[in-house]
């Protein structure tokens, strides 16, 4: 299990902006130092320190039970860490986790329309978003009748709804078919190019293709 | 109607409840300590036999 | 947090969505009301149909039935949103969780509290409550059912992450309902006896305002806790 | 950090608290026993029977302190809960949840002795008297807090949920008490055993002694239960092994 390779200091030197020539405001969106969480008085994962800035794609890797999902939920602000410090930038965050937040009784369009009014505003119309995530054929069906992959796409549609700069994704590629993965690569690539950043928890082979990314290996707490 | 049974009864109930309230944690902590010590010895023997 | 719309727009969007969800599951929405009718109709079977006996216990019975019906529907207040992750999205959305809690409570009152008020004339008829006291009964229910939802939502939020939170919820919430039940039932029986009841109604109004201002904060704290 | 703050900071560390309370316990139990014997002797033997109710008033020396303790412990529980909720002080959380069963037991004693006291004076074991009814509601409040703590499996989260419920409960406690008292005056003439009547000093002294004795019982039992939870929660930590292998108290 490779310990995380980049120390806080080195990380700033290495973080070269994404391949687009220059960024107006290269700023740090989230910075984390010696972060850990105790559950049943045992650390869930070894303390981690890193920071995510404009254009970064950070992969949180590690085998099951090493606290990837817990860390992502801490970054999203749902969980409070037991030790360590975390600072958020002022631009927004959006989180897509295992629980997809898609209501079974609403149709795809209703789900997206509700999230639009609730989370933020975006110029792209709902029809266009539905088209981008490839749910046009089923957009009037209630979410209960959708497959797992389609429900994941409906949840990922949330990413296009707001101009939040930091994406927190927990194993986004799971349940997606080939086209789904290509679609996700596309919107991720466009997001990073527009000065966004993304922290992604992933395990095994389901990773973004052809992206520069920094990897943070997570070690479960009990391994100490 | 003499009141003594009620007086004795209420003091008895108070005694029993307070006694149980005081005793329960002591018994439980002894049981817990024995369990921790036994597990501790078990792990020590295992480490000794492993190394 | 994320660039977001105003809290009031989110409040209205949430209320509209929840009302839509409630009407999509009308059968589930009807259950507490049927339960109310069943509970009240059991009393004449239990204590005998003599009109004056029923009339004397009518205020208490109707109010206790309203209490039980509200508690029955409290468990589903946050549970469906908790289980499919929408509650998590609300907490991250940057909108104050109190606003979200208030929206859920308002929808719960519209769906579960208001119908109790609308059904109360039928209940009064069954329990042979004198008709001149009906208006006081409706007023007390109008003032009281929001408090049932507000205070009950604290218990609902505390037990939302528990698998079998339902039974525990009633144990948590009933002691908190004791003052409301005492004052409301007494107001109606005072009206039946022709005594002045304005004091009791004043107290209930004060209780409603207190619950409206304090309960959402406790519910928000409980929701944030349950999400961890 | 001045000495006082240092002391407060040290109470936070489990091993220090375990040893400190260990040294304290014999003293608190000792004082409790001395006060108990003194109170019982004065109350049961020396004090004259009540002119109105005769001998049965002697139950007062158990009923009144227990009722007082049940209210005081709930208020203390809410205070510890706030400290635990706001500053995440683990020790406050543990002491809060450890005092809940003690409070529930005092409430049960108050209810039992109250109903036994009622039999000779009112002729029935249970009368919906204002005090007994609010004690009963208080018992449900306690059971709610204990039940909620038991329902959560992660101890820190359970303590904070129970603290929140205790806080909501303590806000409602006076409202419940006054509404029950007001309700009682509507339906019944004021009961005989109202404490308002001036108590003869020879009966007041044992009463006060018993109240202080119950306080020391609460403190000692709270320390015992807190130490138990500390060991239970930190059983994998080194300081527990060190203490247990050292086989002291």
């Amino acid at each position: 299990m490779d310990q995380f390779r980049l120390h806080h200091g080195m990380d700033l030197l290495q973080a070269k902006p994404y391949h687009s020539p220059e960024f107006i405001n290269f700023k740090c969106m989230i910075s984390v130092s010696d972060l850990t969480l105790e559950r049943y008085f045992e650390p869930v994962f070894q303390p981690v320190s890193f920071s995510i800035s404009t254009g970064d794609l950070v992969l949180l890797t590690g085998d099951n039970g090493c606290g990837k999902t817990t860390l992502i939920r801490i970054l999203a602000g749902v969980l409070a860490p037991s030790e360590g410090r975390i600072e958020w930038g002022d631009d927004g965050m959006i989180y897509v986790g295992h629980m997809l937040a898609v209501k079974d009784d609403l149709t795809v369009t209703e789900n997206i329309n509700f999230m639009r009014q609730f989370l933020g505003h975006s110029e792209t119309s709902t029809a266009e978003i539905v088209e981008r995530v490839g749910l046009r054929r089923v957009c009037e069906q209630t979410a209960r009748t959708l497959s797992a992959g389609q429900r994941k796409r409906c949840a990922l549609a949330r990413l296009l709804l707001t101009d939040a700069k930091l994406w927190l994704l927990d194993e986004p590629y799971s349940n997606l078919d080939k086209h789904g993965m290509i679609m996700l690569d596309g919107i991720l690539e466009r997001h990073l190019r527009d000065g966004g950043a993304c922290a992604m928890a992933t395990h095994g082979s389901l990773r973004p293709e052809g992206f520069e990314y920094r990897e943070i290996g997570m070690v479960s707490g009990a391994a100490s | 109607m003499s009141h003594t049974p009620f007086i004795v009864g209420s003091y008895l109930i108070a005694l029993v409840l307070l006694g149980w309230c005081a005793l329960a944690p002591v018994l439980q902590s002894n049981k817990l300590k024995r369990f921790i010590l036994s597990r501790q010895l078990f792990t020590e023997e295992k480490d000794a036999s492993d190394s | 947090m994320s660039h977001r719309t105003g809290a009031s727009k989110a409040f209205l969007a949430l209320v509209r969505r929840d009302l839509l969800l409630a009407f999509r599951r009308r059968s589930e929405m009807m259950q507490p009301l049927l339960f109310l009718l069943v509970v009240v109709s059991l009393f004449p079977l239990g204590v005998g149909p003599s009109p004056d006996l029923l009339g004397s216990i009518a205020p208490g019975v109707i109010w206790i039935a309203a209490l039980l019906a509200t508690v029955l529907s409290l468990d589903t207040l946050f549970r469906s949103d908790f289980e499919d992750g929408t509650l998590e999205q609300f907490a991250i959305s940057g909108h104050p969780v109190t606003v979200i809690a208030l929206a859920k409570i308002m929808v719960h009152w519209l769906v579960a509290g208001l119908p109790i008020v609308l059904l109360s004339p039928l209940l009064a008829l069954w329990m042979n409550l004198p008709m001149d006291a009906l208006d006081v009964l409706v007023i007390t229910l109008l003032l009281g059912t929001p408090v049932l939802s507000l205070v009950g939502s604290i218990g609902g939020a505390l037990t939302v992450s528990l698998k079998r939170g339902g039974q525990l919820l009633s144990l948590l919430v009933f002691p908190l309902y004791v003052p409301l039940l005492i004052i409301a039932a007494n107001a109606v029986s005072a009206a039946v006896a022709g005594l002045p009841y304005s004091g009791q109604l004043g107290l209930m109004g004060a209780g409603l305002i207190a619950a409206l201002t304090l309960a959402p904060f406790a519910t928000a704290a409980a929701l944030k806790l349950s999400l961890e | 950090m001045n000495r006082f703050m240092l002391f407060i900071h040290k109470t936070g560390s489990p091993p220090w608290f375990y040893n400190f309370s260990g040294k304290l316990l014999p003293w608190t139990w000792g004082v409790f026993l001395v006060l108990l014997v003194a109170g019982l002797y004065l109350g049961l033997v020396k004090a004259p029977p009540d002119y109105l109710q005769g001998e049965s008033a002697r139950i007062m020396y158990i009923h009144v302190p227990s009722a007082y303790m049940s209210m005081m412990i709930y208020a203390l529980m809410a205070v510890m809960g706030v400290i635990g909720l706001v500053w995440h002080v683990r020790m406050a959380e543990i002491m809060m949840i450890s005092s809940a069963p003690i409070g529930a037991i005092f409430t049960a004693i108050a209810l039992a002795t109250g109903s036994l006291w009622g039999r000779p004076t009112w002729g029935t074991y249970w009368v919906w008297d204002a005090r007994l009814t609010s004690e009963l509601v208080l018992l449900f409040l306690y059971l709610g807090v204990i039940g909620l703590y038991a329902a959560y499996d992660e101890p820190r989260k359970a303590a904070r949920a129970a603290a929140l419920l205790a806080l909501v409960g303590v806000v409602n406690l006076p409202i419940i008490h006054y509404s029950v008292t007001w309700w009682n005056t509507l339906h019944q003439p004021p009961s005989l055993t109202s404490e308002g009547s001036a108590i003869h000093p020879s009966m007041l002294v044992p009463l006060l002694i018993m109240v202080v004795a119950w306080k020391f019982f609460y403190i000692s039992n709270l320390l015992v239960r807190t130490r138990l939870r500390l060991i239970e929660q930190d059983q994998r930590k080194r300081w527990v092994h060190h203490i247990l292998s050292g086989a002291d108290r």
Side-chain angles (χ1 to χ4, degrees):
Chain A
M1 176 46 62
D2 48 345
Q3 279 287 358
F4 65 93
R5 291 188 296 270
L6 295 166
H7 299 296
H8 192 77
M10 236 179 69
D11 151 54
L12 282 181
L13 294 174
Q14 265 218 347
K16 52 187 178 345
Y18 197 55
H19 58 65
S20 68
E22 82 293 332
F23 277 96
I24 311 106
N25 47 7
F26 172 85
K27 59 182 172 43
C28 164
M29 300 205 183
I30 196 167
S31 92
V32 158
S33 51
D34 302 329
L35 196 83
T36 187
L37 179 85
E38 266 189 20
R39 200 166 275 151
Y40 299 97
F41 307 101
E42 297 276 328
V44 174
F45 52 83
Q46 291 302 306
V48 283
S49 304
F50 58 88
S51 79
I52 303 176
S53 324
T54 323
D56 281 355
L57 171 58
V58 172
L59 289 192
L60 305 173
T61 59
D63 40 24
N64 298 75
C66 71
K68 296 192 300 295
T69 303
T70 315
L71 179 58
I72 285 270
R73 295 187 75 211
I74 294 176
L75 297 181
V78 177
L79 267 173
S82 309
E83 269 105 31
R85 257 178 349 85
I86 181 168
E87 275 129 31
W88 288 274
D90 48 16
D91 28 41
M93 278 191 297
I94 190 117
Y95 165 63
V96 176
H98 288 297
M99 297 198 288
L100 300 174
V102 170
K103 296 303 285 185
D104 291 348
D105 295 314
L106 297 178
T107 66
V108 172
T109 333
E110 281 165 351
N111 263 306
I112 293 176
N113 276 334
F114 167 69
M115 275 304 176
R116 171 191 295 277
Q117 288 152 16
F118 195 83
L119 280 185
H121 65 87
S122 146
E123 291 70 27
T124 49
S125 74
T126 304
E128 201 184 317
I129 290 177
V130 166
E131 182 64 38
R132 288 277 303 276
V133 287
L135 289 176
R136 186 173 41 77
R137 224 166 12 82
V138 293
C139 72
E140 286 319 316
Q141 288 178 16
T142 55
R144 190 187 310 281
T145 58
L146 299 180
S147 74
Q150 288 166 329
R151 288 165 65 86
K152 172 72 87 164
R153 288 166 181 251
C154 184
L156 289 173
R158 246 194 339 271
L159 299 174
L160 307 173
L161 265 177
T162 72
D163 47 12
K165 283 283 183 275
L166 178 60
W167 285 6
L168 302 169
L169 308 177
D170 194 351
E171 284 165 18
Y173 287 89
S174 62
N175 301 115
L176 285 182
D177 54 17
K178 196 160 48 58
H179 299 293
M181 294 191 186
I182 294 163
M183 175 272 293
L184 182 53
D185 284 345
I187 56 175
L188 183 59
E189 196 266 341
R190 194 161 170 281
H191 172 70
L192 293 177
R193 194 151 33 79
D194 291 351
C198 171
M200 184 188 293
T202 171
H203 65 88
S205 61
L206 293 173
R207 291 163 184 247
E209 297 309 331
F211 281 86
E212 303 261 336
Y213 60 82
R214 233 173 42 222
E215 184 163 344
I216 293 181
M218 301 277 294
V219 178
S220 83
S224 65
Chain B
M1 172 190 41
S2 88
H3 295 169
T4 42
F6 301 111
I7 299 169
V8 169
S10 58
Y11 277 79
L12 213 61
I13 287 175
L15 194 68
V16 165
L17 284 176
L18 283 184
W20 175 68
C21 176
L23 216 59
V26 174
L27 297 178
Q28 202 185 345
S29 74
N30 292 345
K31 188 157 68 75
L32 183 66
K33 284 176 185 171
R34 268 199 304 280
F35 167 71
I36 295 175
L37 280 176
S38 63
R39 187 184 54 193
Q40 202 177 327
L41 293 178
F42 170 74
T43 46
E44 270 151 20
E45 276 142 22
K46 199 159 65 62
D47 297 347
S49 61
D50 289 351
S51 61
Chain C
M1 299 294 235
S2 71
H3 180 74
R4 50 178 165 58
T5 57
S8 58
K9 192 159 179 287
F11 180 90
L12 290 175
L14 188 54
V15 168
R16 218 175 303 120
R17 183 204 72 157
D18 276 1
L19 286 176
L20 181 64
L21 280 174
F23 286 122
R24 287 262 166 91
R25 286 188 291 218
R26 258 188 302 281
S27 69
E28 197 175 303
M29 192 175 77
M30 291 301 294
Q31 274 161 12
L33 308 178
L34 299 181
F35 173 83
L36 179 82
L37 298 177
V38 163
V39 163
V40 172
S41 58
L42 284 181
F43 273 87
L45 303 174
V47 299
S50 69
D52 46 16
L53 173 64
L54 284 182
S56 65
I57 61 170
V61 163
I62 294 172
W63 254 96
I64 290 170
L67 213 96
L68 295 174
T70 313
V71 168
L72 194 70
S73 58
L74 277 177
D75 194 46
T76 59
L77 180 58
F78 296 112
R79 195 167 287 281
S80 65
D81 276 355
F82 180 82
E83 265 146 18
D84 60 25
T86 10
L87 207 58
E88 206 171 39
Q89 291 301 325
F90 295 158
I92 300 168
S93 68
H95 298 302
V97 184
T98 338
V99 167
I100 291 156
L102 210 57
K104 305 288 289 180
I105 295 164
M106 198 176 103
V107 169
H108 175 264
W109 181 69
L110 288 173
V111 165
L114 204 51
I116 294 177
V117 179
L118 302 178
L119 281 174
S120 56
L122 174 64
L123 303 179
L125 197 62
W126 279 354
M127 292 300 290
N128 190 24
L129 186 78
M131 277 311 130
D132 51 14
L134 183 58
D135 53 356
V136 179
L137 175 69
V138 170
I139 294 171
T140 54
L141 281 171
L142 266 178
L143 285 174
T145 42
V147 178
L148 292 179
S149 297
L150 280 159
V151 174
S153 73
I154 302 173
L158 279 172
T159 57
V160 72
S161 61
L162 307 174
K163 280 164 287 307
R164 295 166 315 287
Q167 301 89 341
L168 186 63
L169 172 62
S170 39
L171 173 66
L172 304 188
V173 161
F174 279 139
L176 307 178
Y177 282 160
V178 160
L180 180 66
L181 176 64
I182 291 174
I183 295 171
N186 183 266
V188 182
S189 41
V192 167
L195 298 169
Y197 49 81
S198 53
Q200 287 92 330
L201 292 188
L203 274 176
M204 289 189 71
L208 173 59
I209 293 166
L212 207 55
T213 45
L214 296 177
F217 294 100
T219 309
L223 282 179
K224 282 195 202 114
L225 182 78
S226 301
L227 281 169
E228 288 205 2
Chain D
M1 204 188 305
N2 56 40
R3 272 186 53 75
F4 176 70
M5 279 309 294
L6 195 64
F7 173 77
I8 292 294
H9 184 68
K10 274 204 286 196
T11 54
S13 89
W16 186 88
F17 184 89
Y18 189 86
N19 296 331
F20 175 73
S21 50
K23 289 197 276 293
L24 212 60
L25 267 175
W27 293 98
T28 50
W29 280 120
V31 170
F32 160 65
L33 288 176
V34 165
L35 287 175
L36 182 66
V37 167
L40 290 184
Y41 172 70
L42 286 177
L44 293 182
V45 175
K46 291 278 284 177
D50 183 70
Y51 64 92
L52 211 61
Q53 300 158 27
E55 287 298 327
S56 70
R58 294 189 193 284
I59 300 178
M60 165 176 74
Y61 302 122
I62 291 270
H63 175 72
V64 172
S66 304
Y68 165 76
M69 283 305 286
S70 61
M71 294 267 187
M72 189 192 92
I73 290 176
Y74 199 91
L76 268 178
M77 216 167 62
V79 168
M80 291 183 223
V82 166
I83 296 172
L85 268 176
V86 173
W87 292 290
H88 300 297
V89 175
R90 179 178 162 214
M91 208 50 70
E93 285 172 7
I94 295 178
M95 289 178 86
M96 182 226 22
I97 203 55
S98 304
S99 39
I102 309 174
I105 283 172
F106 272 125
T107 321
I109 293 175
L111 281 172
T113 51
S115 77
L116 276 177
W117 190 358
R119 180 70 181 84
T121 42
W122 295 324
T124 68
Y125 277 107
W126 181 260
V127 168
W128 287 99
D129 161 71
R131 257 197 348 277
L132 289 184
T133 318
S134 50
E135 280 294 326
L136 186 62
V137 175
L138 183 58
L139 183 64
F140 293 139
L141 283 172
Y142 271 115
L143 296 179
V145 169
I146 295 170
L148 188 62
Y149 183 83
Y152 278 84
D153 42 18
E154 211 273 320
R156 290 304 298 265
K157 197 173 165 182
R160 288 168 62 210
L164 198 60
L165 182 64
L167 196 58
V168 171
V170 88
V171 167
N172 277 288
L173 207 54
I175 304 169
I176 292 172
H177 184 68
Y178 287 119
S179 61
V180 165
T181 317
W182 171 72
W183 162 82
N184 186 265
T185 54
L186 291 176
H187 294 281
Q188 255 189 338
S191 65
L192 281 173
T193 59
S194 60
E195 293 105 337
S197 58
I199 299 178
H200 187 271
S202 70
M203 294 162 75
L204 191 60
V205 165
L207 196 60
L208 294 181
I209 291 177
M210 286 303 285
V211 167
V212 180
W214 268 196
K215 281 198 169 103
F216 272 92
F217 175 85
Y218 166 61
I219 294 167
S220 346
N221 200 263
L222 176 63
L223 290 183
V224 170
R225 287 172 183 268
T226 310
R227 283 155 59 92
L228 166 64
R229 272 189 201 281
L230 278 179
I231 295 271
E232 191 185 4
Q233 287 180 0
D234 282 6
Q235 53 190 298
R236 294 186 191 285
K237 296 266 174 38
R238 264 184 311 282
W239 71 271
V240 171
H241 296 160
H242 172 64
I243 280 187
L244 289 189
S245 52
D248 74 335
R249 289 190 41 78

